[in-house]
Amino acid sequence: MATDYTHIILADDDEDDRMFFTDAFDELKMTVKVTTYNDGVYLMDYLNQEDAILPNILFLDLNMPRKSGMECLKEIKENSRFKDVVIAIYSTSASEEDIENTFIKGANIYIKKPSDFKVLKKVLSNVVTTNWQYHTNGLNKDNFLLRL
């Protein structure tokens, strides 16, 4: 189903980070619809509904209670229904192990959460305006970690 907006979902247990994220999109004035979930269980419950409107881009925090972003990533990648969903890992972690594991498990990009609002807006704008079909074809570890 084609829409005239980019559907974005953020799964993050930190209320401040969810607010920061939605405020950034409000200021960017992009044609997006942002939905947030505060943990991986709620996210997967939604995505697994037959009538769920799948996001164009899913931002996944890694460290969430009940079901981590890594567990969600694994489930999503095992289900062909989600093959066109771009997955952006959105985490405070900059550990090489987390970056490597999410790359291997099939995420499209890794973003270390910026603490500066201006940087966050630039990051989100870049992610939303990327041609993911092209970008994913040339995906390698060097362009996996978004650096600004």
Side-chain angles (χ1 to χ4, degrees), residues 83-84 86 108-109 126-140 143-144:
K83 69 181 179 353
D84 294 329
V86 171
N108 297 86
I109 192 163
N126 284 355
V127 171
V128 171
T129 57
T130 295
N131 178 339
W132 286 102
Q133 190 173 1
Y134 168 78
H135 183 83
T136 304
N137 288 342
L139 190 62
N140 61 51
N143 62 11
F144 179 64

Side-chain angles (χ1 to χ4, degrees), residues 3 7 13 53 88 93 99 101 128 143:
T3 58
H7 184 206
D13 62 310
I53 297 170
S93 168
I99 294 166
N101 286 339
V128 171
N143 62 11

Side-chain angles (χ1 to χ4, degrees), residues 32-93:
V32 297
K33 177 181 184 255
V34 179
T35 308
T36 62
Y37 293 92
N38 62 4
D39 76 24
V41 172
Y42 290 128
L43 169 70
M44 295 312 297
D45 285 350
Y46 170 76
L47 291 177
N48 286 315
Q49 294 174 27
E50 270 187 48
D51 61 345
I53 297 170
L54 298 181
N56 302 94
I57 306 171
L58 170 61
F59 288 82
L60 263 182
D61 181 23
L62 288 180
N63 302 310
M64 295 184 287
R66 300 196 321 143
K67 185 174 283 193
S68 73
M70 196 66 82
E71 291 169 305
C72 293
L73 175 61
K74 184 179 182 303
E75 278 182 49
I76 290 165
K77 286 303 181 178
E78 288 172 349
N79 187 334
S80 62
R81 182 168 168 247
F82 306 125
K83 69 181 179 353
D84 294 329
V85 175
V86 171
I87 300 175
I89 302 302
Y90 184 66
S91 181
T92 53
S93 168

